[in-house]
Amino acid sequence: MTTETPYDTPPSRRRPTLLKALIFIVLMAAITAGLLAAASLLRSKEGPKIATVEPQPLAVSVSPVEYLTELDIEELFTGIAEARRTSRLGFQTGGRIERIDVRVGDTVKAGQTIARLDTRGLGAQLASARAVVEEARAAHQLALDTAERQRQLQAQGHVSAQRVEEFVAQATTAMARVEAARAQADTLRVQIDLASITAPYDGVIVSRFADEGAIAGPGQAILELVEAGDLEARIGVSARIVPELVPGETYTLEAETGPVEAPLRSVTGVVDASQRTVAAVFDVPASSGVPAGSLVRLKMQRKLQEKGFWVPLKALSSANRGMWTVYAVVGEGDDWRAQPRLVEMVYPAGERAFVRGPVEAGDRIIVDGLQRVTPGARVLPREVQRAETANGG
């Protein structure tokens, strides 16, 4: 069996295949030429013939700039009204807690016993020390009596003076033992006294850290006491207003319970390194009803000598290096364009800010919808839009 190769194909059979290939090539060339011709018709010397239509101007709200040369501002400083004294109370020596007579919220008086340790062991030691004192006293008395008898015998010539001096020395030694025994007994009495906690001043129990039966370590906090009565408010103020504060004068503080008249006790005059403020201490009377730990605020009025103008916060967009951007509406022929201007914020107050920058008095600033505005964009101020509508434009 023989295999037929393409070269063995007769010419009469190869002609239809070549004809189809030629027809395909011709068709592809025609299609390519048509596409090129269509593309050339869509192009001109300036580029692609694409219709461009400038977007309609954005309607924006504007406000005219009014310059001020000075500004009355209100500064607010915050502090905390605290008790003058707060103490964490504990036992000087350790031991088992026998009783705690107060709970959180109880009012106590100065000198009142409010907790006590189990002192049975100390009591037994004190009884032993008292017995030692009595024994030493008896020995001392015996030594005194013996020394006296020796003096009588010396007077009769029966003993020497040295013998008498020896018994006098024994009496002195016995007296020293009496004093040592008394000191030991006094030490135990002091330990028994220190086994109880007494209130150092009138106040309120605000915390309790242990209960009866617990073993308390030396110095461990058992109760927290806050002094009752007048409070003091420490408010950090800026150094520039310190000269305006006069100790002894009464100022109005804003507390959660309302305004409070509080005399200024002192101003430290030292700038706190972390807060960069100076502490002013006010006396808050107990009659004000301000709870300890409440926030209090001091308002101070002052004049700021600075040329600038007010803008709403929503008229500002952030820029670099702490600057802000406002958009001024500038006329160009029959159009209005939004032009950015860099300004510096001098003083923020609520929903507006006092700023300064290269803006002229009377210029109109876009005050709303900045998210839709781009530099150089066509805009239509709302006042102009209303005027055109009224004129039938």
Side-chain angles (χ1 to χ4, degrees), residues 30-255:
I31 292 172
T32 302
L35 292 174
L36 293 175
S40 64
L41 291 176
L42 294 177
R43 298 183 61 86
S44 64
K45 294 181 180 180
E46 293 78 12
K49 294 182 178 181
I50 300 175
T52 58
V53 179
E54 189 172 3
Q56 292 295 321
L58 296 172
V60 293
S61 298
V62 296
S63 176
V65 171
E66 297 180 4
Y67 265 93
L68 302 173
T69 57
E70 65 177 16
L71 179 66
D72 291 327
I73 64 175
E74 183 179 74
E75 292 187 290
L76 188 65
F77 305 100
T78 304
I80 299 178
E82 299 177 314
R84 292 181 177 178
R85 289 184 289 181
T86 300
S87 301
R88 288 198 168 193
L89 307 177
F91 300 102
Q92 182 171 336
T93 59
R96 187 180 67 86
I97 300 175
E98 181 180 357
R99 72 173 196 269
I100 299 177
D101 300 328
V102 293
R103 295 198 174 275
V104 174
D106 289 351
T107 301
V108 298
K109 296 292 184 180
Q112 177 182 341
T113 300
I114 53 181
R116 189 173 183 82
L117 291 176
D118 184 352
T119 59
R120 289 176 295 179
L122 291 174
Q125 294 179 39
L126 178 59
S128 176
R130 286 172 178 169
V132 173
V133 171
E134 294 301 323
E135 180 183 1
R137 282 176 178 172
H140 176 251
Q141 187 61 45
L142 177 60
L144 289 177
D145 294 342
T146 303
E148 182 61 27
R149 286 193 297 270
Q150 294 299 317
R151 287 193 186 96
Q152 293 175 3
L153 292 173
Q154 182 189 13
Q156 298 173 5
H158 298 297
V159 295
S160 64
Q162 182 179 357
R163 181 74 172 176
V164 175
E165 291 175 357
E166 290 176 356
F167 280 100
V168 171
Q170 291 178 8
T172 303
T173 301
M175 186 59 193
R177 292 195 182 97
V178 171
E179 295 299 330
R182 284 177 179 173
Q184 180 63 27
D186 290 341
T187 300
L188 292 170
R189 291 190 187 95
V190 171
Q191 290 182 3
I192 291 175
D193 290 340
L194 295 177
S196 61
I197 298 176
T198 58
Y201 44 77
D202 296 349
V204 179
I205 302 297
V206 296
S207 297
R208 176 171 167 166
F209 306 108
D211 293 312
E212 293 83 352
I215 303 300
Q220 176 185 343
I222 304 300
L223 299 167
E224 185 173 5
L225 176 68
V226 172
E227 184 179 18
D230 295 346
L231 306 177
E232 64 178 22
R234 293 178 177 268
I235 299 178
V237 300
S238 59
R240 65 174 175 271
I241 73 161
V242 169
E244 303 177 22
L245 298 175
V246 180
E249 289 193 1
T250 300
Y251 295 82
T252 301
L253 305 181
E254 294 291 335

Side-chain angles (χ1 to χ4, degrees), residues 239-302:
R240 65 174 175 271
I241 73 161
V242 169
E244 303 177 22
L245 298 175
V246 180
E249 289 193 1
T250 300
Y251 295 82
T252 301
L253 305 181
E254 294 291 335
E256 298 174 1
T257 56
V260 177
E261 298 298 323
L264 175 63
R265 187 200 309 167
S266 63
V267 180
T268 61
V270 179
V271 177
D272 183 86
S274 59
Q275 302 295 329
R276 309 306 303 169
T277 58
V278 178
V281 183
F282 296 84
D283 290 324
V284 180
S287 58
S288 65
V290 177
S294 299
L295 290 178
V296 291
R297 299 175 177 86
L298 172 67
K299 291 182 180 180
M300 295 292 293
Q301 302 283 342
R302 70 182 182 95

